[in-house]
Amino acid sequence: MNKARTLGELRRTYPLEKLRRSVKDEARENLIAKLRSGERVFPGIHGYDDTVIPALVNAILARHNFILLGLRGQAKSRILRQLTELLDEEIPALPTELRDNPLFPLSAEAKRLLEEAGEEAPIVWIPRSERYVEKLATPDTTVADILGDIDPIKAARRGSGLSDLEAVHYGLLPRANRGIFAMNEVADLAPKVQVALFNILQEGDVQIRGYPVRLALDVWLTFTANPQDYTARGKIVTPLKDRIGSEIRTHYPRTLEEGLAITRQEAWVAREEGIYVPAYVAEAAEAVAFVAREDKRVDKTSGVSQRLSISLLELVVSNAERRALRFGERPVARPLDLYAALPAITGKIELEYEGELQGAERVAKDLLQKAFAMAYGERARGLPTDEVVQYFAEGHLLTLPEAGARAVLREMEKVPGLLAVARRLEPQATPEALVAAAEFVLEGLAGRRKIARGEESYSAPLERGERWGSGN
């Protein structure tokens, strides 16, 4: 169907009741249609089906402005960007800075255009992807950035004074008219900017360089913030907090399976060589974030982002890729690849005083051991590892060479029963996969303190207090 190009054509061919809806009404109607059809709302968001998403749906049905409160790496921005899926595919507008509604012009430019052109006023179509405006709040953000300022060059070109409404250069919020405006980390805004936000939403009034401008904007306002900033530091002004209809708390994945679903979706692991990542390697990588969130040496208020797990798995795959290229073997991710991926951990955790004393790398290695113990847990049941543990208890050492899989297997064969246990874990019988499974057994036993892991070798467990990388 041909889209209307003038106001007259629009009146004849477009359902005008759609133009009488607010953006919140539009989102509400489209959400109701999705719910009735059984379509998934917020696809790709895992772990929130019974917590965050129901609260979001309620807020949208209530036509609320809302704030997402949560630590870093909890998909807050991703959720806000997906709100555009609740908007119409495109809407008609006048070709103005504020994308004015043809039936309800807001700006001076739009009113002048309708006066001059009438039914021949041109119509443009705005896709929903262009109806989302996002701003990361910073302390240096000004009222002019958000609301606008007088543009003397525009006034000079028009030959008018600075009091001319068409001499205003509108900021981000007015440009989000008939759409969604998202303010990330709102607590970092200066109080006067927050007051300006509240005032324009509550009253529709704002002064730009002392000139009063009334803007009855049609904007769906959404925010994100860190709970620590929002509550403890008290940096959100009370009138703005009162204007926010719903406060929705996000959270990290509550189970390893939920975390793995997110990491597998986001991590870039599909390399050209087709790298095999055993399930137990992926689980160990995911478990690092879980144990870090519970470790007393890691700052709880900063959180441990899901991006840690994503970056860690990507580096594990990269190390497997590097080894395969170097030794000319099949690319298989191995547990020891997690130690080569330490930069993904040390760069993404904030340490408390005790952790700072120990150092980020030592804390990261200890987190790895705990993660291996966690991933090894269920698999340990019924595995005949007594022979392996006894071998090390007798004083033997095992040092694995930085070499191809077959050379590593020759060393592993010295440990009675190790490869037999590995074969029970690993359905793929290739040398590379067998090495990965045997390493996982060793790391799991070390994580559960059945054997000791040094920097370069495995040995009998040390006395309490002598363990490498000991923590809380």
Side-chain angles (χ1 to χ4, degrees):
M1 183 179 73
N2 293 330
K3 292 182 288 190
R5 298 299 175 189
T6 66
L7 178 58
E9 289 179 17
L10 187 71
R11 292 184 188 278
R12 293 190 298 270
T13 61
Y14 190 76
L16 297 183
E17 64 272 11
K18 286 190 173 184
L19 291 177
R20 297 185 177 95
R21 301 176 302 175
S22 69
V23 64
K24 293 176 184 176
D25 287 327
E26 177 186 340
R28 173 185 158 84
E29 287 183 19
N30 290 329
L31 174 62
I32 289 172
K34 286 178 181 286
L35 293 175
R36 282 177 174 163
S37 67
E39 183 179 343
R40 180 176 174 82
V41 184
F42 300 102
I45 303 297
H46 298 279
Y48 286 170
D49 288 349
D50 300 321
T51 54
V52 176
I53 290 179
L56 274 170
V57 169
N58 290 343
I60 297 166
L61 292 176
R63 302 186 305 180
H64 279 181
N65 299 318
F66 65 85
I67 183 168
L68 296 176
L69 284 183
L71 299 174
R72 58 184 179 176
Q74 292 185 351
K76 299 187 297 295
S77 295
R78 182 170 187 150
I79 289 171
L80 296 187
R81 290 165 189 168
Q82 283 198 13
L83 291 175
T84 57
E85 297 300 314
L86 299 177
L87 303 178
D88 292 347
E89 289 190 12
E90 56 184 357
I91 58 169
L94 295 173
T96 60
E97 284 185 291
L98 300 191
R99 301 178 298 198
D100 288 85
N101 188 320
L103 298 187
F104 307 102
L106 187 62
S107 67
E109 180 185 5
K111 293 173 182 177
R112 176 180 55 80
L113 179 61
L114 290 179
E115 285 181 8
E116 294 175 355
E119 294 293 285
E120 295 303 314
I123 295 296
V124 295
W125 293 82
I126 311 297
R128 59 187 173 194
S129 60
E130 295 181 11
R131 297 173 64 193
Y132 177 81
V133 177
E134 183 177 305
K135 176 75 171 86
L136 175 62
T138 56
D140 61 345
T141 301
T142 65
V143 174
D145 295 333
I146 303 301
L147 300 181
D149 202 348
I150 299 296
D151 187 344
I153 297 178
K154 187 184 289 188
R157 286 175 178 171
R158 289 180 50 78
S160 62
L162 295 180
S163 62
D164 187 349
L165 284 179
E166 293 196 48
V168 173
H169 174 77
Y170 291 107
L172 291 172
L173 181 56
R175 289 173 184 273
N177 185 41
R178 304 179 71 199
I180 301 166
F181 181 74
M183 178 65 74
N184 278 323
E185 306 302 336
V186 64
D188 288 333
L189 281 180
K192 66 178 181 180
V193 183
Q194 295 184 40
V195 170
L197 275 175
F198 159 74
N199 198 51
I200 198 169
L201 282 171
Q202 184 69 31
E203 307 294 342
D205 292 326
V206 63
Q207 285 193 354
I208 297 179
R209 289 296 175 104
Y211 189 83
V213 179
R214 182 161 185 82
L215 294 176
L217 295 173
D218 176 20
V219 179
W220 186 8
L221 196 63
T222 61
F223 303 95
T224 71
N226 184 302
Q228 182 76 2
D229 298 339
Y230 186 72
T231 56
R233 298 202 328 223
K235 294 182 65 177
I236 297 184
V237 298
T238 301
L240 181 58
K241 289 172 65 175
D242 184 60
R243 181 65 175 168
I244 298 171
S246 293
E247 175 185 296
I248 301 170
R249 295 264 178 170
T250 59
H251 55 81
Y252 288 121
R254 293 179 173 174
T255 66
L256 206 59
E257 291 73 21
E258 289 177 354
L260 275 170
I262 298 170
T263 300
R264 286 179 175 139
Q265 174 180 280
E266 301 298 326
W268 179 53
V269 297
R271 310 294 171 87
E272 294 82 356
E273 291 78 9
I275 297 171
Y276 170 53
V277 182
Y280 44 83
V281 173
E283 288 172 16
E286 187 64 36
V288 173
F290 278 78
V291 298
R293 290 168 191 147
E294 299 298 325
D295 196 290
K296 68 181 183 182
R297 296 164 295 178
V298 178
D299 184 5
K300 301 293 187 298
T301 60
S302 294
V304 179
S305 170
Q306 188 63 26
R307 284 183 281 271
L308 184 151
S309 300
I310 295 167
S311 298
L312 182 59
L313 187 59
E314 289 174 340
L315 286 185
V316 165
V317 168
S318 293
N319 199 61
E321 185 178 23
R322 180 182 65 85
R323 182 177 54 253
L325 293 170
R326 180 181 176 188
F327 297 110
E329 60 184 26
R330 295 179 181 178
V332 175
R334 288 163 29 183
L336 292 191
D337 292 330
L338 271 72
Y339 290 92
L342 284 179
I345 304 174
T346 57
K348 288 187 170 58
I349 54 174
E350 299 290 335
L351 299 178
E352 297 281 13
Y353 179 69
E354 182 184 348
E356 293 286 358
L357 290 179
Q358 295 181 11
E361 186 168 332
R362 180 177 174 182
V363 171
K365 288 180 178 178
D366 191 35
L367 293 176
L368 281 179
Q369 283 203 343
K370 293 178 181 179
F372 280 120
M374 181 177 177
Y376 184 71
E378 286 298 320
R379 289 182 169 83
R381 294 180 182 177
L383 288 180
T385 57
D386 291 346
E387 253 189 314
V388 178
V389 174
Q390 183 61 31
Y391 175 81
F392 292 105
E394 292 172 355
H396 298 288
L397 295 176
L398 174 64
T399 301
L400 299 180
E402 178 66 26
R406 296 186 185 279
V408 176
L409 280 177
R410 284 194 291 271
E411 291 298 314
M412 289 179 166
E413 286 173 350
K414 298 175 182 178
V415 182
L418 176 59
L419 295 184
V421 176
R423 288 188 178 92
R424 295 182 62 167
L425 281 176
E426 183 49 64
Q428 295 199 22
T430 63
E432 296 83 2
L434 196 57
V435 168
E439 284 184 0
F440 180 68
V441 172
L442 293 170
E443 290 296 327
L445 291 174
R448 303 189 76 177
R449 308 305 185 192
K450 298 293 184 66
I451 64 176
R453 188 194 194 285
E455 292 289 347
E456 297 180 351
S457 62
Y458 300 92
S459 62
L462 302 175
E463 294 296 327
R464 184 173 179 82
E466 297 181 308
R467 291 196 297 262
W468 163 83
S470 60
N472 63 338

